[in-house]
Amino acid sequence: MTQPTRTTWAIPADVMLLTDAADVTDREVVMANAVIETIVGRVYTLAYERTGAADREWLRRAVAYQVPWMRAQPDFFERLDLSTLEGAGALGDLTLVCPPMGRHAIRRLSWRGSRSQRTRSPYVNRAGLPSTNPLAEVNDSYEQWTPLGGR
């Protein structure tokens, strides 16, 4: 007997272990997995090999948290398009499609992090500097001073 090919970030046993949900079916996990894949833009069958262990764990947890939350949302796939309602943007993109713990797991994915680059300041990052204020006179000895007029 051959085992079926795995196609989801989590399995029913993961859901039961992480959420204490009872009688979790493969169908529920597949539906929750499809929702999480749509949110994060990473399909299990296409991206498993190139997804790091930490990201696989966060995806496993996001799917596991999604299953019991979807059980409590019987109209999940039939809701109105809330993007057309006034003020819906204030709720955040994931608020109405993902449970709170699932949102936390998704935020921890490596590709969902900040895209900004940290710039280093010689006033803040240089070791042994007496003041972090760049305008403080005590920092003058650390600067290169040249007289006005080019001498």
Side-chain angles (χ1 to χ4, degrees), residues 54-106:
D55 286 332
R56 286 195 302 263
E57 177 61 22
W58 291 121
L59 288 164
R60 179 180 81 97
R61 290 172 185 243
V63 171
Y65 300 143
Q66 187 75 14
V67 171
W69 188 82
M70 285 176 61
R71 282 182 173 178
Q73 314 293 324
D75 63 340
F76 181 78
F77 291 106
E78 291 89 24
R79 286 192 184 140
L80 293 172
D81 178 11
L82 294 177
S83 64
T84 61
L85 298 177
E86 187 176 332
L91 298 174
D93 293 339
L94 301 179
T95 303
L96 298 173
V97 294
C98 194
M101 291 302 293
R103 290 193 306 268
H104 288 296
I106 289 170

Side-chain angles (χ1 to χ4, degrees), residues 8 33 44 46 60 74 86-87 92 110 114 117 124 129 144:
T8 57
N33 189 76
Y44 178 89
L46 302 175
R60 179 180 81 97
E86 187 176 332
S110 63
S114 171
Q117 292 183 351
V124 177
L129 197 61
Q144 298 281 335

Side-chain angles (χ1 to χ4, degrees), residues 117-130:
Q117 292 183 351
R118 183 175 181 272
T119 57
R120 299 181 63 86
S121 166
Y123 297 103
V124 177
N125 298 315
R126 189 183 316 165
L129 197 61

Side-chain angles (χ1 to χ4, degrees), residues 121-140:
S121 166
Y123 297 103
V124 177
N125 298 315
R126 189 183 316 165
L129 197 61
S131 173
T132 58
N133 179 0
L135 302 176
E137 288 183 29
V138 71
N139 292 335
D140 287 349

